[in-house]
Amino acid sequence: MIKVAPSILAADFAALGQEIKRIENADYLHIDVMDGHFVPNLTIGPPVVAALRPHSRLVFDVHLMITGPERYVASFLEAGADLITIHAETGGHLHRTLTQIKEGGARAGLALNPATPPEVLRYLVELLDLVLVMTVNPGFGGQAFIPGMLAKIAAVKQLLEAAGSSAEIAVDGGIDAKTAPLAAKAGATVLVAGSAIFGSADPAQAVDEIRRFCSGR
Ligand code: DX5
Ligand code: ZN
């Protein structure tokens, strides 16, 4: 079953509490954290996540686009993150940071920028609950889906299967009713979408539509 993860980056930041009530039929709430260093944009931090936590029953899926993510894992765990994804390109001790997330009681994800090959997953597989294949260069919403990433989704799927892993495969960037089925067909099981959901007049319907298009109905 495909899961849909609306990204609040495309929501009205002046009314986040109400915005997340509009997509209660989704699976995950995707929260994009940017530091103006790893990516050329700044967004939100742990206090906003903590403020939103009592307003939603969705799985809080925190996407850390920050340098040195190990410095903030504890704060996001405390704020109520259920799943924390770090970027492979942040380097450092990825194994240690993923372990830190899991020992803190959350699920752990690893994100790959478009230029990053899937091989980086190989020796981390046992720690991974999710692999996030970026289908745009991270930093902004509303960018166009990069079609070359479909082959990477398939390669990630193969690598995970060969390792006996049941980690989810998520895609993020330029996902809409047209690109979602392509990503799902290649092996994605979690679809992150910002503009296609919060830019729609009826976000809940947009969530359903993405699910329906992926199941071919
Ligand atoms: C991009 C973020 C995405 C973004 C997706 O750096 O990680 O989650 O919100 O936005 P859309 O769906 O508009 O491409
Ligand atoms: Zn994201």
Side-chain angles (χ1 to χ4, degrees):
M1 181 67 172
I2 290 291
K3 291 178 181 164
V4 181
S7 162
I8 59 167
L9 189 62
D12 177 0
F13 271 26
L16 276 182
Q18 284 111 283
E19 289 282 81
I20 64 174
K21 294 277 179 223
R22 303 172 77 194
I23 43 100
E24 278 180 327
N25 60 332
D27 300 285
Y28 295 175
L29 185 73
H30 187 84
I31 303 171
D32 285 310
V33 177
M34 305 188 186
D35 67 351
H37 185 259
F38 180 69
V39 288
N41 198 3
L42 283 162
T43 55
I44 60 177
V48 177
V49 177
L52 292 177
R53 186 65 277 189
H55 297 278
S56 174
R57 283 190 303 268
L58 297 180
V59 169
F60 272 27
D61 156 27
V62 175
H63 178 192
L64 295 184
M65 286 161 276
I66 64 176
T67 305
E70 68 282 355
R71 297 172 299 154
Y72 292 99
V73 164
S75 310
F76 283 104
L77 288 170
E78 204 180 320
D82 299 298
L83 165 65
I84 298 181
T85 297
I86 61 169
H87 264 266
E89 306 78 16
T90 57
H93 302 282
L94 295 175
H95 190 282
R96 180 182 286 148
T97 311
L98 292 166
T99 303
Q100 191 189 353
I101 295 169
K102 295 189 72 89
E103 285 181 354
R107 289 196 273 150
L110 189 70
L112 311 178
N113 279 341
T116 304
E119 280 67 35
V120 65
L121 304 174
R122 195 174 298 276
Y123 299 103
L124 298 171
V125 162
E126 70 206 28
L127 290 170
L128 296 177
D129 298 296
L130 178 142
V131 176
L132 177 58
V133 177
M134 291 304 301
T135 41
V136 297
N137 289 290
F140 304 94
Q143 304 182 81
F145 180 85
I146 303 172
M149 293 303 111
L150 291 171
K152 183 149 73 175
I153 299 166
V156 167
K157 183 176 154 94
Q158 215 172 37
L159 200 150
L160 292 175
E161 274 173 9
S165 162
S166 54
E168 298 186 296
I169 302 177
V171 285
D172 186 5
I175 298 295
D176 56 23
K178 214 170 100 210
T179 54
L182 305 175
K185 204 165 158 226
T189 52
V190 179
L191 304 171
V192 178
S195 335
I197 292 175
F198 285 107
S200 141
D202 187 341
Q205 196 185 315
V207 168
D208 284 341
E209 224 167 70
I210 289 178
R211 267 202 207 103
R212 206 172 54 241
F213 275 63
C214 290
S215 65
R217 278 182 288 133

